[in-house]
Amino acid sequence: MKKLLIMILICAPFLSVAQEQEYKERFEQLGTMLPTPNSYRTASGAPGENYWQQKADYSIKVKLDESSNKITGSETITYYNQSPHSLNYLWLQLDQNMRAEGSDSELVSTATFFNDTIPAKYLEQYVANGGSSYDFPGGFNIETVKNADGDEMDYLVQKTMMKIRLPEALKPGENISFSIDWNYFVNDRMKGGGRSGFEYFEEDGNSLYTMAQFFPRMAVYNDVEGWQNKQFLGSGEFALTFGDYDVEITVPDDFIVGATGMVQNAKEVLTKDQFKRYEKALKSKEQTFIVTEEEAIENEKEKSTSYETWKFKAENVRDFGFAASRKFIWDGQMVELESTKPFAQSFYPKEGNPLWEEESTKAIKNTLELYSERTFDYPYPQATSVHAASIGMEYPMICFNFGRPDKNGEYSVRTQLGMTYVIVHEIGHNYFPMIVNSDERQWAWMDEGLNSFLESNVMFEYYPDLPYSDNIPQAVTGYMKSSKDQQRPIMTNPEQVLRLGPNAYSKPAAALNLLRNTIMGPELFDESFKAYAQRWKFKHPTPADFFRTMEDASAVDLDWFWRGWFYTTDHVDVSVDEVKYFRIAQDESDMEKNAKAPKGDLGEKEEKELKTDFSDRTDLIFLFQKLQNFGLVNIVPR
């Protein structure tokens, strides 16, 4: 006797009306949650016919005084009003004022003392320093602000922002030039932390400087929110305007300098042999040492009191950073992409070897290759990785990265993994947000999340032997199942989230990996993602521009996906509540011979299918579907 067992998943009991309505809303269109399209930003997610953005060019001269760890600088900014509005004032960012007395960053700093054994003097010092154990006289000292004629301009310093009041409105199509003289003391990163500063090597008495946010910079003025002049508190990073930079950096003459842009006077600041190696490296597909470890070690022994100036130029960048030290080893190679040939280069002290000479420049190459394939060929002339302890931070064409062997030059797989993925991540930031220029101060996920997603793709494709497991759905299940009181939606300002890492990095990256590999498929996702990157390179996108472009380029309705992953803290909550087994009632004869058709006439096709012999079928799903079609099995929700 043939017996057939069919397993049926019983639907969950009916939800209450309120619950049912709530679940329906989760799959509704985003509708008014997205801004109304206009001639600046279209409903398709592309820039509109009237899209505009401002421009700011910089001419900067800066000197680094090693003996006092002080930066002194002067800059001339030419600001182009390409908006349709007249501007009565300008806003600039003074990010170093985060370290100044009275900064709002002190108000958002927290610390936990785990026991009562901490001496009172340390607690008193912590409180006195505004939540830091590092007593430091930080912040910009603005010396002068003058117009092109050399006259003093009226300005106001409002904590980490500076407002320049214009005597006459800057009309559409006009530009204005003004100059600022300033100075500040460079912070010791190893004591007070931070994105920039110096690291002191007690063993040889030298320092390694990673310099960023070192000059007053124009804030963004755009069609979305006017001036982006939110105070810099630490978590929310930067919103910046594209422009051209001409920068002169004066340092001790035994220093090596890496910076945004290309060095213009390499022949003057390098030795004859180093310059020859530099020219060779620019065209070589193989790693070439410009400054060797032996030269760097020799360079450490004496400190020069003479100075020289390195000159750099960079076009169409939103910021500028540099690194300087007499400890630097320097290697590089050309990376051949489809339409560009950027120079990948690394600067690192001997303390980074052998890991850095083996892995850094190679990681730059790997990153540029995959990111270019998924977005657009890297448009800048170079990409630089600089080694400094306890930091991972990005600027146009240059980034600062951690990962250091022990004193014997030995390192674990964990150290190699951390160093590799931080270089991939920070080099990747050249695409998001340095070129696809989103507002980091408002939407951290738009650069960190998208970049972490591509970072994971590089790691899985180029480093399958390293135990990398971040930024995929499995990595965020614990966070998404945690108490909702400890979560905020991805669409939350970075200063207001409770856990920036999952919120801005791993959760949006996991969402995009899920979208690519499960929902849309790699081919459709990649085409849509590339459309977003190419539409918005060298422009200022918003979240709506990303969401709309992904749907516009794919013909896939993803509103439910953006709503669930980005606008709520919901997590997938699917379970099998009950499993029952049923046996079809039948006699000893063949089931097929006694099957009764449902009421109504069957066509020839249906009759033929009904008489088909199922006895040799092993595909239960196929059989179950046939029986259901003939009315022999019904699923009834209850």
Side-chain angles (χ1 to χ4, degrees):
M1 182 183 72
K2 295 185 178 72
K3 292 186 177 180
L4 177 65
L5 295 180
I6 302 176
M7 183 177 73
I8 303 174
L9 300 182
I10 305 301
C11 294
F14 285 127
L15 299 171
S16 68
V17 174
Q19 285 179 310
E20 186 176 1
Q21 181 61 29
E22 179 186 349
Y23 279 97
K24 284 181 179 179
E25 289 175 357
R26 294 177 182 179
F27 290 89
E28 290 179 353
Q29 298 294 288
L30 288 178
T32 56
M33 295 180 73
L34 298 182
T36 303
N38 51 49
S39 62
Y40 306 134
R41 298 168 190 272
T42 68
S44 69
E49 66 271 19
N50 294 324
Y51 175 82
W52 56 267
Q53 62 188 37
Q54 308 290 64
K55 186 174 188 285
D57 294 340
Y58 297 80
S59 177
I60 303 172
K61 294 182 179 179
V62 62
K63 182 177 180 179
L64 172 60
D65 185 341
E66 184 184 19
S67 61
S68 62
N69 291 315
K70 188 176 183 179
I71 283 280
T72 302
S74 64
E75 65 183 305
T76 297
I77 301 175
T78 302
Y79 186 73
Y80 300 84
N81 183 12
Q82 301 178 156
S83 79
H85 314 131
S86 293
L87 303 177
N88 294 314
Y89 47 79
L90 309 176
W91 280 104
L92 288 85
Q93 302 183 43
L94 302 178
D95 298 317
Q96 289 297 327
N97 283 4
M98 177 189 173
R99 303 181 182 281
E101 184 178 354
S103 166
D104 285 346
S105 60
E106 299 175 358
L107 305 178
V108 298
S109 299
T110 59
T112 301
F113 292 97
F114 296 98
N115 54 54
D116 58 0
T117 62
I118 298 175
K121 65 177 182 179
Y122 293 122
L123 180 58
E124 292 168 3
Q125 181 187 34
Y126 184 89
V127 174
N129 294 335
S132 172
S133 58
Y134 177 43
D135 189 8
F136 172 71
F140 279 111
N141 173 30
I142 303 297
E143 298 173 2
T144 63
V145 180
K146 297 181 179 181
N147 63 21
D149 295 326
D151 300 326
E152 296 282 347
M153 299 184 76
D154 186 15
Y155 69 92
L156 167 71
V157 173
Q158 169 63 359
K159 298 182 180 179
T160 62
M161 302 298 297
M162 181 169 75
K163 180 181 184 180
I164 298 181
R165 305 181 181 101
L166 301 178
E168 295 181 3
L170 185 64
K171 297 177 181 179
E174 293 183 343
N175 65 75
I176 185 174
S177 293
F178 57 95
S179 62
I180 306 174
D181 294 338
W182 43 266
N183 64 73
Y184 72 91
F185 289 101
V186 182
N187 58 296
D188 184 339
R189 280 193 308 97
M190 305 308 290
K191 292 181 179 179
R195 291 175 169 83
S196 65
F198 70 88
E199 176 185 359
Y200 180 70
F201 293 79
E202 188 172 352
E203 189 174 295
D204 53 58
N206 289 296
S207 294
L208 190 161
Y209 295 87
T210 48
M211 303 305 304
Q213 293 99 255
F214 66 92
F215 60 101
R217 304 174 298 169
M218 290 302 307
V220 165
Y221 181 79
N222 65 19
D223 63 288
V224 178
E225 56 188 355
W227 287 104
Q228 170 50 286
N229 55 9
K230 293 182 184 294
Q231 294 291 332
F232 178 47
L233 302 179
S235 293
E237 292 182 311
F238 313 111
L240 297 159
T241 299
F242 286 113
D244 301 333
Y245 284 73
D246 190 337
V247 182
E248 297 183 4
I249 304 169
T250 301
V251 293
D253 65 7
D254 52 358
F255 270 38
I256 297 294
V257 180
T260 298
M262 295 297 288
V263 61
Q264 302 297 298
N265 61 336
K267 192 171 184 178
E268 298 172 17
V269 295
L270 297 176
T271 68
K272 186 177 181 179
D273 288 341
Q274 290 168 349
F275 180 67
K276 287 181 179 179
R277 296 180 212 143
Y278 175 67
E279 287 194 312
K280 177 184 176 183
L282 289 172
K283 301 175 183 178
S284 175
K285 293 184 182 181
E286 303 297 327
Q287 181 186 33
T288 302
F289 284 89
I290 301 159
V291 178
T292 66
E293 182 168 345
E294 292 73 23
E295 288 172 325
I297 292 173
E298 186 64 28
N299 210 29
E300 289 180 345
K301 294 179 179 178
E302 295 183 11
K303 293 185 178 181
S304 175
T305 56
S306 300
Y307 284 80
E308 68 182 1
T309 299
W310 291 60
K311 300 177 181 180
F312 292 87
K313 283 190 176 182
E315 295 181 352
N316 208 16
V317 294
R318 64 171 226 161
D319 201 358
F320 192 99
F322 73 92
S325 180
R326 61 176 55 86
K327 294 176 64 67
F328 277 147
I329 303 163
W330 179 9
D331 76 63
Q333 70 177 82
M334 181 263 286
V335 180
E336 190 165 16
L337 303 174
E338 186 172 335
S339 62
T340 62
K341 297 181 179 180
F343 184 53
Q345 57 183 348
S346 298
F347 296 80
Y348 45 96
K350 66 180 186 298
E351 286 78 6
N353 269 342
L355 181 58
W356 270 72
E357 70 176 29
E358 294 172 352
E359 299 293 343
S360 178
T361 300
K362 181 170 66 176
I364 300 173
K365 175 180 179 293
N366 294 341
T367 305
L368 295 183
E369 288 178 348
L370 186 134
Y371 277 64
S372 294
E373 177 187 324
R374 299 287 181 83
T375 58
F376 44 78
D377 280 355
Y378 185 70
Y380 290 138
Q382 61 92 354
T384 298
S385 169
V386 179
H387 175 44
S390 306
I391 187 172
M393 192 58 205
E394 73 282 353
Y395 301 92
M397 299 188 229
I398 189 170
C399 57
F400 314 141
N401 305 304
F402 59 74
R404 184 171 295 175
D406 63 23
K407 291 184 178 181
N408 297 318
E410 298 178 353
Y411 56 88
S412 64
V413 171
R414 183 181 181 85
T415 299
Q416 180 184 0
L417 170 63
M419 176 262 201
T420 302
Y421 82 68
V422 76
I423 293 175
V424 171
H425 183 91
E426 307 305 347
I427 290 292
H429 270 308
N430 277 290
Y431 291 82
F432 307 95
M434 301 303 157
I435 298 172
V436 182
N437 190 10
S438 59
D439 182 351
E440 297 179 274
R441 193 150 298 178
Q442 183 64 35
W443 306 114
W445 70 267
M446 284 195 73
D447 71 292
E448 298 296 358
L450 271 60
N451 188 41
S452 295
F453 158 68
L454 287 176
E455 166 209 313
S456 67
N457 289 195
V458 172
M459 294 303 296
F460 289 129
E461 183 165 329
Y462 285 89
Y463 300 95
D465 295 331
L466 290 179
Y468 179 90
S469 58
D470 294 345
N471 302 313
I472 56 176
Q474 296 92 319
V476 297
T477 53
Y479 170 72
M480 294 182 70
K481 291 192 298 182
S482 67
S483 170
K484 300 306 179 185
D485 293 339
Q486 300 302 312
Q487 298 182 43
R488 293 290 182 271
I490 291 174
M491 293 290 288
T492 302
N493 183 282
E495 305 296 351
Q496 297 172 312
V497 301
L498 300 178
R499 295 173 63 186
L500 184 63
N503 188 277
Y505 294 72
S506 56
K507 183 179 176 182
L512 294 181
N513 269 308
L514 183 66
L515 193 61
R516 180 180 191 264
N517 299 320
T518 303
I519 297 172
M520 295 177 69
E523 182 178 1
L524 189 57
F525 177 93
D526 290 350
E527 185 174 340
S528 305
F529 192 82
K530 180 176 286 190
Y532 166 71
Q534 293 186 348
R535 280 178 174 181
W536 289 98
K537 66 179 178 181
F538 297 114
K539 293 182 175 68
H540 302 270
T542 66
D545 299 320
F546 175 67
F547 297 151
R548 285 170 166 156
T549 294
M550 291 298 292
E551 297 190 28
D552 178 69
S554 67
V556 179
D557 184 353
L558 296 170
D559 278 21
W560 64 274
F561 185 83
W562 310 130
R563 181 185 288 274
W565 276 90
F566 288 79
Y567 285 89
T568 78
T569 58
D570 293 343
H571 64 274
V572 177
D573 188 12
V574 177
S575 64
V576 177
D577 294 327
E578 187 178 9
V579 177
K580 287 188 176 181
Y581 292 88
F582 288 83
R583 188 177 69 178
I584 303 299
Q586 57 187 348
D587 58 23
E588 294 296 326
S589 61
D590 253 9
M591 180 187 73
E592 289 80 6
K593 294 178 180 178
N594 293 280
K596 294 182 179 180
K599 292 181 179 179
D601 296 332
L602 289 176
E604 292 181 2
K605 180 179 178 183
E606 285 79 3
E607 263 191 33
K608 183 178 180 181
E609 287 185 351
L610 183 62
K611 295 177 181 178
T612 300
D613 182 9
F614 294 107
S615 60
D616 61 348
R617 291 283 187 176
T618 58
D619 186 343
L620 294 182
I621 295 178
F622 174 83
L623 178 57
F624 175 70
Q625 290 173 338
K626 289 294 182 183
L627 293 173
Q628 187 178 11
N629 290 339
F630 300 147
L632 298 178
V633 174
N634 289 313
I635 297 180
V636 180
R638 61 183 180 86

